[in-house]
Amino acid sequence: MYTKKNVIAKEIPMIDTIIFDIGRVLVKFDWQEYIASFHFPKETADILGRAVFLNSAWPEYDRSALPDEEILTRLCLAAPGYEKEIRLVFDNFPSSLSLLSHAVPWITSLKKRGFHIYYLSNYAETTRRKNPDALAFIPLCDGGLMSCDIKHIKPEPEIYQALLTRFQINPENAVFIDDSMPNLEAAKEFCLHTILFENYPSASAQLERLLAPPDAC
């Protein structure tokens, strides 16, 4: 005879796979802080933020389907007269990224517990090539995809489908951790469990609650 608790336990899928976004989840990415490091006047910093990181052309940098120089041209068109400053910010951007202190210990701990670990991120080929140290966690993972690999960016459905298909991931047994709600909403369309990353303690606690096996009593 099944009790209600047993039925619920049977219906809850067992999570065996964790998929991580990279920027702001495993790698520090703070463009406001980065621009501030140049000590531009506030007005100039505001203009550069809008022209570069808030520009609709910026996601195309992550897609990596166009030459960087073409992306740079588009950025410069958004702020005539600031080409020198925009080029400075653009060219040095990869060096602004750094591995977050929790990244390797978190992944290492999950791997030791038997979970499969993947990454799924909007990440430019130039950034990957110029700053490999920020991606020191990758050898610990079972695999993953960056937007530059397949020329699709989150939240486009193709990038999620590509990850699930390439690595034969059952989405009902996987959880995706990302700092962007639109990216998580797109992941839900593939039946992935999701966690909004706001900070490590909160995300880690949410993950542990999800990973906790249902009470079989």
Side-chain angles (χ1 to χ4, degrees):
M1 179 177 179
Y2 288 102
T3 65
K4 182 178 180 181
K5 185 176 292 186
N6 284 335
V7 171
I8 292 174
K10 186 176 181 180
E11 292 177 348
I12 295 175
M14 184 67 72
I15 301 298
D16 59 19
T17 300
I18 299 104
I19 305 165
F20 287 97
D21 176 34
I22 295 179
R24 296 195 178 100
V25 176
L26 301 176
V27 169
K28 183 178 180 181
F29 167 44
D30 187 332
W31 65 261
Q32 293 99 330
E33 182 179 295
Y34 170 57
I35 289 181
S37 70
F38 291 95
H39 304 291
F40 295 120
K42 184 181 185 307
E43 181 181 359
T44 299
D46 290 343
I47 290 172
L48 295 176
R50 292 192 296 271
V52 179
F53 298 105
L54 299 180
N55 193 316
S56 61
W58 182 254
E60 297 308 311
Y61 173 67
D62 283 337
R63 192 188 301 274
S64 300
L66 299 172
D68 284 357
E69 197 61 34
E70 184 171 338
I71 300 297
L72 184 56
T73 297
R74 295 186 184 188
L75 302 181
C76 290
L77 288 173
Y82 289 87
E83 180 176 344
K84 179 181 177 181
E85 292 85 354
I86 290 173
R87 183 176 291 275
L88 180 66
V89 169
F90 184 81
D91 288 345
N92 289 281
F93 169 71
S95 65
S96 71
L97 303 183
S98 60
L99 187 67
L100 288 166
S101 61
H102 63 257
V104 169
W106 197 9
I107 291 175
T108 300
S109 173
L110 291 168
K111 286 290 293 182
K112 286 182 178 179
R113 292 162 61 186
F115 295 104
H116 303 294
I117 307 296
Y118 298 92
Y119 55 87
L120 182 67
S121 180
N122 291 348
Y123 214 91
E125 173 58 33
T126 298
T127 302
R128 177 168 64 181
R129 174 171 49 81
K130 287 187 173 182
N131 188 359
D133 290 346
L135 301 173
F137 63 88
I138 283 184
L140 302 173
C141 299
D142 296 288
L145 283 179
M146 294 181 180
S147 56
C148 62
D149 294 322
I150 61 169
K151 314 309 178 192
H152 284 289
I153 58 176
K154 296 176 297 182
E156 294 171 353
E158 291 87 351
I159 192 169
Y160 301 91
Q161 187 63 67
L163 180 80
L164 297 176
T165 300
R166 183 173 299 187
F167 296 103
Q168 299 183 326
I169 297 170
N170 181 349
E172 294 184 356
N173 298 112
V175 55
F176 179 46
I177 304 173
D178 197 295
D179 68 303
S180 165
M181 187 56 73
N183 292 346
L184 295 177
E185 291 299 326
K188 289 177 183 177
E189 293 297 314
F190 289 88
C191 299
L192 285 158
H193 301 268
T194 61
I195 293 174
L196 178 64
F197 186 95
E198 296 176 302
N199 57 66
Y200 169 65
S202 174
S204 178
Q206 290 180 68
L207 179 61
E208 289 305 317
R209 287 194 293 271
L210 194 58
L211 298 181
D215 188 352
C217 297

